[in-house]
Amino acid sequence: MTDLQEILARHQGRVPSVAALVSGGVDSSVVVHRLVEAGFKPHIFYIRIGMQDEDGFVDCPAEEDIELTTLLARKYGLPMDVVSLHQEYWEKVVSYTIDTVKRGLTPNPDVMCNKLIKFGCFEEKWGHHFDYIATGHYATTTYIDDCCYLSTAKDPIKDQTDFLAQINFAQVSKLLFPIGHLMKSEVRDIAEAARIPSAKRRDSQGICFLGKVNYNDFIRRYLGEKPGRIIDRETGKTIGTHRGYWFHTIGQRKGLGLSGGPWFVVKKDTKRNIILVSRGYDPADQYGREIDMAQFDFISGSANLWPDFSIQQLRQGIFSSLAPVCISFKIRHTPEFIGGTLSPLGDHGFRIKSDEPVQGIAPGQYGVVYDLDHRLCLGSGMITAGR
């Protein structure tokens, strides 16, 4: 695992420059504290990425965040800038979210925000001036044979590698995760002991660009409502109505307004605007063992899985003779990993075969692949189908 002292050692006495992305929360604030303690002098950046349309419908209130971040910068005598990526966020993340929902898929805006905004647009505009970018994500990096890999955090509950699994090798090689080796409770203790302004602040919840706006209200704003039927998959009977298939996702249990449950969404017919549901805690049709993924990308290459094949060969389709390899994986943000195998499909796609039935495989989400020890996060692909 890479820590701050190892980073300093790699630079042979020169203190590298660091851009610290700070949100005003306790995690990113402790990042700054740890960097300063280790001998770094980070430049603090607060990124305004809340979404606001032409009518001002949604806008993340940033005043308190900026105030806390400013207090932190003053406490440690560090430079600070507030920078805006509003337009880029709308074009790359919010529009992606709306389009994905409209197609009946389940979006993951947090994954796209990390890939395209925090470590994409920020790097292009400001980050390229610095040796490293430090964030409050619960993740780590590990060097194997001088190759940098994204790796899991000490705290399995808070681990965020699944949200980072779409970043590329250039991005992960430049990232520092100063709290990745800590439990959340340790982060809180450090913040209180150091009298950091945000020490007692509650963790934020939900999708970053929505602020206090309800997700369904946001979707309704841009896609409206389109009443349709809810059908019991087993009987074929209509048992309720919904306001539009885009308000629902595969595996959803709450918010259906049906009695006699629990009911689970098992399929969406977007052409006919129909939601199919199944009753019971473990109906067989909400589970699958095969997960197909498109545009799968390895973060740091595929040497851990197929040592004799380069990532370029895999992308060119030169893998017909490759045998499935054992991996662990996730398809949603949970502490648990599932065992299975990974095999190429062609056309840049891969298939996971799970060792156990997997509930709620939702096209549009990401299948995230790890090594068998749940240590290295190897890459991810968008789920296209599950069976």
Side-chain angles (χ1 to χ4, degrees), residues 14 25 56 116 127 130 139 148-149 169 211 217 247 259 265 330 334:
R14 179 181 74 86
L116 302 176
F130 298 85
C148 183
Y149 288 86
F169 179 71
D217 289 341
F247 293 113
S259 60
V265 176
K330 295 181 181 182
T334 64

Side-chain angles (χ1 to χ4, degrees), residues 127-142:
H128 65 277
H129 295 296
F130 298 85
D131 294 313
Y132 294 98
I133 296 174
T135 81
H137 286 97
Y138 283 84
T140 58
T141 52
T142 297

Side-chain angles (χ1 to χ4, degrees), residues 245-303:
Y245 65 81
W246 41 77
F247 293 113
H248 304 284
T249 186
I250 302 298
Q252 177 183 340
R253 186 179 73 175
K254 298 181 179 180
L256 294 171
L258 302 175
S259 60
W263 295 92
F264 297 85
V265 176
V266 295
K267 189 175 181 180
K268 296 191 291 184
D269 185 333
T270 58
K271 291 184 178 180
R272 296 192 295 164
N273 194 30
I274 289 173
I275 300 294
L276 296 179
V277 298
S278 184
R279 181 166 52 187
Y281 287 101
D282 297 306
D285 58 3
Q286 66 168 299
Y287 286 81
R289 285 182 178 268
E290 293 187 353
I291 302 164
D292 291 351
M293 299 171 292
Q295 300 175 337
F296 190 97
D297 283 310
F298 291 96
I299 299 171
S300 302
S302 60

Side-chain angles (χ1 to χ4, degrees), residues 185-251:
S185 58
E186 294 176 295
V187 172
R188 287 283 184 191
D189 290 343
I190 290 171
E192 292 192 14
R195 297 184 179 180
I196 288 174
S198 59
K200 296 185 181 298
R201 197 179 193 195
R202 296 174 62 183
D203 291 344
S204 60
Q205 302 291 331
I207 299 171
C208 51
F209 68 73
L210 290 183
K212 297 180 180 180
V213 176
N214 178 272
Y215 176 76
N216 281 348
D217 289 341
F218 165 74
I219 296 299
R220 185 177 294 108
R221 166 76 172 186
Y222 295 99
L223 296 182
E225 293 186 357
K226 186 178 180 181
R229 294 182 295 156
I230 300 177
I231 295 177
D232 182 342
R233 183 166 180 174
E234 280 68 42
T235 66
K237 294 181 179 179
T238 298
I239 58 174
T241 59
H242 62 83
R243 297 181 179 180
Y245 65 81
W246 41 77
F247 293 113
H248 304 284
T249 186
I250 302 298

Side-chain angles (χ1 to χ4, degrees), residues 3 45 77 132 139 157 167 174 176 186 192 195 278 287 305 345 362 385:
D3 61 22
F45 286 90
Y132 294 98
I157 304 296
I167 62 176
K174 191 170 179 173
L176 298 181
E186 294 176 295
E192 292 192 14
R195 297 184 179 180
S278 184
Y287 286 81
L305 300 178
L345 284 177

Side-chain angles (χ1 to χ4, degrees), residues 31-32 58 108 122 134 161 187 212 248 267 272 331 333 365:
V31 162
V32 172
V58 182
N108 198 321
F122 176 80
T161 50
V187 172
K212 297 180 180 180
H248 304 284
K267 189 175 181 180
R272 296 192 295 164
I331 63 166
H333 184 58
Q365 286 281 17

Side-chain angles (χ1 to χ4, degrees), residues 21-29 45-46 64-66 68-69 201:
L21 304 187
V22 180
S23 66
V26 65
D27 294 331
S28 57
S29 297
F45 286 90
Y46 178 89
E64 183 181 355
D65 295 338
I66 294 174
L68 288 169
T69 304
R201 197 179 193 195

